[in-house]
Amino acid sequence: MDNGGVKSPLGPRNAALAYRPFDLDRIGAGLVFGESLGELAEALRAGGSAGAAVVQAPPGTGKTTLVPPLLANMTFANIAAGAVTGTERPRVIVTQPRRVAARSAARRLAALDGSRLGDRVGYTVRGESQAGPGTIIEFVTPGILLRRLLADPGLETAGAVILDEVHERGLETDLLLGMLIEVRELRDDLTLVAMSATLDAPRFAALIGRSVGEGTDERSDGGGTAPVVDCPSALYPLKVDWAPTSAPRLDGRGVTRAFLDHVADTAAASYMDTLATDPDIDALVFVPGAGEVSYVASRLRARLAARLPDAEVLELHGQASPAEQDRAVSGREPCGPPRIVISTALAESSLTVPGVRLVIDSGLSRELRRDANRGMSGLVTVSCSRASAEQRAGRAARQGPGRVVRCYEQKAYGAAPAHPTPEIAAADLTGAALVLACWGSPGGRGLALPDAPPQGAMDDAIEVLGELGAISPDGLATDVGKTLARIPADPRLARALLDGAATVGHRAAAEAVALVAGDQRAPGADLTRLLATLRESKDPAARRWAEDVRRMEAIARQEGPGVGPSLAAPPSLSSPASPAEALGFVVALAFPDRVARRVQGIGPERYLLTSGTRAGLPAGSPLAGHEWLAVAEVSRAEGRDAAGTGAVIRSAAPLAADAAEAAASHLLRDTMEAEFKQGRVTARRERRLGAIVLSSTPVRPSIDDGRAAVARALAKEGLGTIGWSTVADALRRRLALLHRELGDPWPDVSEPALLARLDKWLAPELEALAGGAATSGIDLAEPLRRLLPWPEAARLGELVPEWLEVPSGSRVRIDYPDVADDGGRPVVAVKLQECFGWAATPRLVGRRVPVLFHLLSPARRPLAVTDDLSSFWSGPYAQVRAEMRGRYPKHPWPEDPWTAPATARTKRKM
């Protein structure tokens, strides 16, 4: 096994660099990736003093355990050889996408190295660190490394960086990849390794290749490709069983209880069967979220109580305490009881749970989805990708032959997407946009990212940052933005921390921000209840929150007063503000677009947000009845809780009306809005907070406002808003036929043409409407006559007459085609008997357009349609006569229509 070129400690050359190499033979005993270490070492050496590579290895092969000490040995070997200078005790930094994975990986490597955790091997995650000056390998979460890069763009204390689990496509990991590629272009002594568990490795190799020379110390211009080091699978044989149920997995409210019961029952039955053949096997059950973990764990405990009372049912999810998480992933103690771990996707790829040979998979996961129309993002339960399903199944075959039971149909697996949706494609990008602005790549411009951020989401994020004063017009971070980036929270919460501290106090603002930024679920969506629980509790979650509060309070004091104009405290805030008052005000400062007011009405609680989104409140929430809420989280949903709005409030705090206006003061608008509806101009003076109407009073509109209202209505709804009388419609149809056949100077009377020339033909009527007149008093016939050309208008009756006199002496109205009917013909509907003897079909518009006759029965039902009367009398008439003479015997049906007198009467009255 390649030890990275380190044969012995560095000796007296530099006492600060005294180094005991990691024993890769001992660390890698039994790990499959040990066979690939030599290939990786050679690939990195080929890149010069420090190279870059991509490691593609399935879960369980040992890449997370072996690659960091290999890079540490190689880094110190380069120092000893003089290839790298100016760096004392360079650190190997390894990112893990989850805190529990970072802690677990550091603990395992330290144990294999025989050193104490925090000495040679350590970790740093949010609110917790086990690392010191002598730490050589440090496991961190991506957010920790992002903030270090912004503080130290050269990352001078690091000799190597390993990005683990890049295939998960976490947003922060994607950003780190692009930023570290740029760092390597300036630092040829920094080693960069990306590690993936799936077949995406070539994609990452091409990205990293822009900073990799081809066998020399020269960096390429972007055309190179980093070497990919593969590792064979470490999996034992795996049996796949399918155990679908007739119950639906999802409904409008999320995962159905019936399906969760099926998962728990399947897990219990499968585990009992497995223990009958091998009592040392443990099980791992995958469900999508923390709530489902608790529900399935509770049902499992009840099912196993009689037959397996000593079994441990452990819960593993992001809201569990560090101690609970560590216990779940530590494996069974010697001679310990059987264990079933119920987990979210947290255990999917970045963690190994020892002893697991049975996996029960719900086939569901939680993924970020962004609703641009509603301006919100949130976790949505979906079918997991096929790649995720394979990762989960692989957990059962790492330490021996295993079995996976999929609690869904095989066709659902086949229909699932190949890979999870990259977080950058679905997340709120406000925090990412601020990082990019601080890095000098606004919007990701010029950065080598696996996927470009969606333009719409990035534009929305940049708009938010602009409102916060965090970026300048050129997109780069302002001093305010750089301050906000140093705070480990969403930029909106960071701004609220600083602005709110001056109004409600440093401690209260810090409590509110730590509460919203944390991963605790508010019971009944009530943040005040969660705050009270955390304040009084001594459990690990409360201690972790308290530590976050101390850190946020220190930041607020260090950064001084708010980064914007001082806020005047609303009268409703007492001095000092109560915890509930302070919480609602700070949340509203962070998310003014989510300040919500109750919609009055019967039925479930509904709220309207200042953004225009409507959302329901969960049934039974303690917040029910509050007029105003400061909403921290709202997400898409269906079912009872959404109350028909398509969204549900997940966490919020009560808010006073004046506090709502103070926090969202930039959304206050005092406007007078005139509108034209139901045939008249009306106006109201409105005071609004975003989309929320605070007050509305009827007022008399000015002429200008009325004119604008009429113009808007006409542009939106057309001239039908005023209405076409029968006379006006008939005149318009006649003019349309003249324009179609003769063109100018006869006017175009189509809707677009008329709307474009309102001032030429409708000005007096528009003025009357703007002054308050009703449309009922307006007939558009007279305004249309203003468009008639002179002297040509004198021939209007001759070219397109209103009536046509037929042989019987009757005057019959001519129906002209619709204005939009380009091929329409003028129609005369008349009784057949009134046209006896008429041979020549009349023609209009200077004999250009023949009239189309609808010849009717005595009951005025159509018998024939023709524009050639002569041909009709000579042919089809005989058949019509034969069919109709018996039905209408009182009316004339002569054999010779040419000589019969035309009449509108019966035979008796002729």
Side-chain angles (χ1 to χ4, degrees):
M1 186 177 297
D2 194 317
N3 273 313
V6 175
K7 303 300 182 181
S8 62
L10 297 179
R13 173 180 170 269
N14 188 333
L17 296 178
Y19 177 69
R20 173 172 60 84
F22 287 92
D23 187 344
L24 298 183
D25 289 321
R26 183 176 71 174
I27 293 172
L31 296 178
V32 176
F33 193 77
E35 301 174 7
S36 302
L37 277 183
E39 181 184 353
L40 176 59
E42 286 303 317
L44 293 173
R45 291 191 189 104
S49 60
V54 174
V55 170
Q56 177 180 292
T61 53
K63 62 182 182 298
T64 304
T65 301
L66 282 169
V67 175
L70 171 70
L71 264 59
N73 287 352
M74 292 185 67
T75 298
F76 279 90
N78 288 334
I79 294 174
V84 177
T85 60
T87 303
E88 294 195 358
R89 197 166 286 283
R91 187 168 289 189
V92 175
I93 299 176
V94 189
T95 65
Q96 290 293 325
R98 301 171 183 88
R99 285 174 286 175
V100 62
R103 290 196 305 268
S104 178
R107 187 175 292 109
R108 173 174 170 77
L109 182 54
L112 291 173
D113 180 52
S115 59
R116 189 176 62 180
L117 180 64
D119 289 347
R120 283 158 56 85
V121 180
Y123 68 84
T124 300
V125 298
R126 192 186 74 192
E128 185 182 0
S129 181
Q130 288 281 353
T135 298
I136 298 169
I137 297 174
E138 182 186 18
F139 291 85
V140 301
T141 49
I144 296 291
L145 184 53
L146 270 179
R147 282 190 289 279
R148 286 186 187 175
L149 266 174
L150 293 182
D152 175 18
L155 208 61
E156 299 297 338
T157 59
V161 176
I162 300 170
L163 300 178
D164 205 357
E165 311 294 356
V166 293
H167 62 278
E168 291 192 10
R169 299 304 311 281
L171 175 57
E172 291 178 328
T173 300
D174 278 6
L175 295 179
L176 280 174
L177 185 62
M179 294 162 70
L180 287 168
I181 288 171
E182 285 197 351
V183 173
R184 266 190 51 81
E185 291 174 351
L186 300 175
R187 272 195 61 189
D188 60 1
D189 62 333
L190 180 68
T191 302
L192 176 61
V193 174
M195 300 203 295
S196 171
T198 64
L199 298 179
D200 269 348
R203 178 180 197 170
F204 298 108
L207 279 173
I208 296 175
R210 64 178 280 177
S211 65
V212 177
E214 300 193 10
T216 71
D217 288 339
E218 295 297 323
R219 294 292 178 251
S220 73
D221 60 2
T225 299
V228 176
V229 177
D230 290 307
C231 175
S233 173
L235 296 184
Y236 288 87
L238 176 69
K239 181 183 179 184
V240 179
D241 289 331
W242 303 89
T245 176
S246 58
R249 288 195 291 173
L250 300 170
D251 62 14
R253 300 181 64 184
V255 188
T256 65
R257 288 296 174 90
F259 179 68
L260 291 177
D261 290 344
H262 170 67
V263 172
D265 296 347
T266 301
S270 300
Y271 193 44
M272 293 302 298
D273 291 344
T274 301
L275 288 180
T277 59
D278 190 340
D280 294 327
I281 287 178
D282 291 338
L284 178 59
V285 182
F286 283 102
V287 291
E292 291 82 6
V293 167
S294 296
Y295 182 85
V296 171
S298 177
R299 186 174 178 90
L300 258 177
R301 291 184 186 107
R303 290 295 306 273
L304 296 174
R307 298 181 59 189
L308 205 63
D310 61 336
E312 283 190 288
V313 179
L314 303 171
E315 301 181 21
L316 180 58
H317 51 79
Q319 296 177 28
S321 68
E324 291 171 327
Q325 293 176 346
D326 293 342
R327 177 168 175 75
V329 302
S330 62
R332 189 194 301 192
E333 297 177 0
C335 301
R339 294 164 29 110
I340 301 181
V341 178
I342 320 297
S343 177
T344 61
L346 190 147
E348 189 173 290
S349 63
S350 57
L351 285 172
T352 296
V353 183
V356 169
R357 301 263 295 281
L358 172 66
V359 166
I360 311 296
D361 186 10
S362 68
L364 299 174
S365 66
R366 292 264 160 80
E367 293 187 8
L368 274 171
R369 291 290 187 272
R370 177 177 177 271
D371 188 335
N373 293 329
R374 294 178 183 266
M376 61 188 183
S377 298
L379 292 171
V380 177
T381 305
V382 296
S383 293
C384 71
S385 67
R386 295 195 300 276
S388 293
E390 292 305 314
Q391 294 265 32
R392 295 176 181 186
R395 297 281 147 180
R398 288 190 172 187
Q399 297 173 310
R403 176 186 176 212
V404 59
V405 181
R406 290 175 172 153
C407 298
Y408 54 101
E409 294 182 329
Q410 192 167 358
K411 66 180 181 181
Y413 169 84
H419 298 281
T421 302
E423 194 175 342
I424 198 171
D428 181 320
L429 299 181
T430 306
L434 180 57
V435 168
L436 293 169
C438 291
W439 188 251
S441 301
R445 192 164 59 242
L447 210 59
L449 298 172
D451 284 299
Q455 193 58 52
M458 183 56 72
D459 289 344
D460 290 345
I462 289 173
E463 181 179 354
V464 170
L465 293 177
E467 292 171 355
L468 295 177
I471 58 173
S472 60
D474 60 2
L476 297 176
T478 61
D479 290 340
V480 170
K482 293 172 183 177
T483 298
L484 299 182
R486 290 194 294 269
I487 300 175
D490 179 281
R492 289 163 289 200
L493 283 171
R495 178 70 189 253
L497 172 69
L498 302 181
D499 286 349
T503 305
V504 300
H506 297 91
R507 179 74 179 183
E511 285 185 335
V513 170
L515 186 72
V516 176
D519 50 17
Q520 299 294 315
R521 178 64 67 185
D526 187 2
L527 284 171
T528 55
R529 178 170 293 189
L530 177 59
L531 176 62
T533 300
L534 291 174
R535 279 182 149 205
E536 297 170 2
S537 176
K538 301 298 182 183
D539 66 14
R543 290 197 297 270
R544 189 166 66 246
W545 171 77
E547 179 57 39
D548 288 343
V549 171
R550 285 191 290 272
R551 187 166 64 255
M552 292 294 181
E553 184 178 5
I555 291 172
R557 294 184 184 279
Q558 177 182 343
E559 297 297 343
V563 292
S566 297
L567 296 172
S572 63
L573 284 185
S574 59
S575 183
S578 71
E581 292 171 337
L583 176 58
F585 186 63
V586 174
V587 171
L589 284 176
F591 306 108
D593 58 321
R594 300 181 199 166
V595 168
R597 188 181 192 183
R598 185 168 177 259
V599 177
Q600 300 296 330
I602 301 173
E605 294 283 280
R606 298 180 179 89
Y607 284 80
L608 173 64
L609 280 63
T610 52
S611 64
T613 292
R614 290 178 182 268
L617 197 63
S621 171
L623 297 172
H626 283 282
E627 180 72 9
W628 290 88
L629 294 177
V631 178
E633 182 184 357
V634 59
S635 62
R636 293 187 301 175
E638 299 296 338
R640 182 179 62 176
D641 288 349
T645 64
V648 65
I649 294 170
R650 300 296 185 191
S651 61
L655 191 66
D658 61 344
E661 293 184 25
S665 58
H666 64 290
L667 299 178
L668 277 172
R669 299 287 185 272
D670 194 354
T671 61
M672 196 283 290
E673 187 71 27
E675 60 179 343
F676 182 65
K677 65 178 182 179
Q678 298 179 344
R680 190 181 295 272
V681 174
T682 61
R684 302 188 74 85
R685 184 171 299 282
E686 289 186 343
R687 189 165 183 263
R688 286 176 172 267
L689 188 65
I692 299 172
V693 178
L694 301 175
S695 62
S696 179
T697 307
V699 295
R700 183 180 181 86
S702 68
I703 291 295
D704 288 342
D705 289 332
R707 202 178 285 124
V710 173
R712 286 194 301 271
L714 292 177
K716 181 180 180 180
E717 302 174 24
L719 291 163
T721 305
I722 298 175
W724 294 97
S725 68
T726 301
V727 174
D729 183 60
L731 175 59
R732 185 183 178 206
R733 289 170 181 251
R734 293 163 68 198
L735 291 175
L737 182 64
L738 286 172
H739 180 74
R740 188 185 83 189
E741 297 297 326
L742 302 178
D744 290 337
W746 297 101
D748 181 357
V749 290
S750 65
E751 185 92 353
L754 289 176
L755 290 174
R757 306 172 64 193
L758 289 175
D759 59 335
K760 184 173 180 62
W761 67 284
L762 199 59
E765 288 74 18
L766 292 179
E767 200 71 14
L769 289 173
T775 56
S776 58
I778 295 176
D779 186 343
L780 293 178
E782 184 58 33
L784 272 180
R785 291 191 179 96
R786 297 179 188 135
L787 293 174
L788 291 175
W790 294 95
E792 291 83 355
R795 298 186 61 209
L796 178 67
E798 172 193 340
L799 295 171
V800 282
E802 292 183 71
W803 307 89
L804 181 66
E805 187 171 338
V806 297
S808 67
S810 300
R811 295 176 73 241
V812 182
R813 179 179 294 277
I814 302 173
D815 291 326
Y816 286 91
D818 188 83
V819 174
D821 188 354
D822 288 340
R825 304 267 292 281
V827 172
V828 170
V830 61
K831 289 182 181 179
L832 180 147
Q833 286 81 1
E834 295 195 59
C835 297
F836 286 153
W838 203 358
T841 301
R843 302 176 74 86
L844 307 180
V845 194
R847 299 192 57 77
R848 285 177 171 81
V849 182
V851 172
L852 187 65
F853 280 90
H854 287 196
L855 300 177
L856 309 178
S857 72
R860 301 198 67 82
R861 292 174 180 162
L863 297 176
V865 176
T866 182
D867 62 359
D868 187 348
L869 289 172
S870 178
S871 297
F872 174 75
W873 300 130
S874 300
Y877 170 73
Q879 182 179 351
V880 172
R881 175 178 180 271
E883 295 175 356
M884 293 292 109
R885 62 186 297 196
R887 185 176 297 180
Y888 301 102
K890 295 180 181 181
H891 294 267
W893 298 95
E895 289 187 24
D896 183 7
W898 293 104
T899 58
T903 180
R905 301 181 178 184
T906 60
K907 289 188 290 186
R908 186 170 62 83
K909 293 183 179 181
M910 289 177 61

